[in-house]
Amino acid sequence: MSTMNATDLASKFPSLAEPLSSSAPLLGLYFAASWCPDCTEVTPAVNKIYESQASGDTKTLDLVYVASDSTADQMKNYVPSSWLAIPFDQVEERSNLKRHFGACAGKETEALGVDRKFGIPTLIILESSTGRVISTSGVEDVMGPNGGKQVLDRWKAM
């Protein structure tokens, strides 16, 4: 995973431009798929953290879904409507994000030519203003004993 600042990330991955420039200090990239049993367990917990935020300008975290779904309908029916998502038809951008962060489903590894560091589900937390990776263990943070809304405060403090 190479280091890029927020401007370079937004340039390389246009779908991230808006969330990287939002007022939310954190950006979560959630790599997952509707057909993945672990993902179907984790996604509601990630959504609960996301939905626990105050609405409006006080939001701490923006979430972007990076799909490994097989069809646009699978993705549309799986990702919570309040989240942002890399459009399904933006195959190259989704693939490049997976390569950049080394996060994808095992069955995608060969086709993408990914140096796979993380399977799915993976939640990578970035500092929005800088693009700095704060955590690559967002799933573990959310699902661990100290998950819940407090995890947002821990990420902000990192």
Side-chain angles (χ1 to χ4, degrees), residues 113-134:
V114 172
D115 179 16
R116 187 170 179 244
K117 295 170 183 67
F118 310 103
I120 60 172
T122 290
L123 176 59
I124 296 176
I125 305 299
L126 306 175
E127 182 178 48
S128 297
S129 63
T130 65
R132 178 177 66 94
V133 175
I134 292 172

Side-chain angles (χ1 to χ4, degrees), residues 42-96:
V42 171
T43 300
V46 172
N47 193 48
K48 186 175 181 181
I49 299 288
Y50 181 73
E51 295 295 332
S52 74
Q53 305 178 89
S55 60
D57 293 336
T58 58
K59 189 164 55 168
T60 300
L61 174 72
D62 277 324
L63 273 176
V64 176
Y65 181 65
V66 184
S68 289
D69 294 298
S70 302
T71 68
D73 283 341
Q74 281 180 346
M75 179 181 143
K76 180 182 169 196
N77 293 327
Y78 183 69
V79 65
S81 61
S82 57
W83 297 12
L84 301 170
I86 305 298
F88 189 80
D89 62 353
Q90 297 295 323
V91 176
E92 186 172 342
E93 185 173 1
R94 284 188 297 120
S95 297
N96 287 337

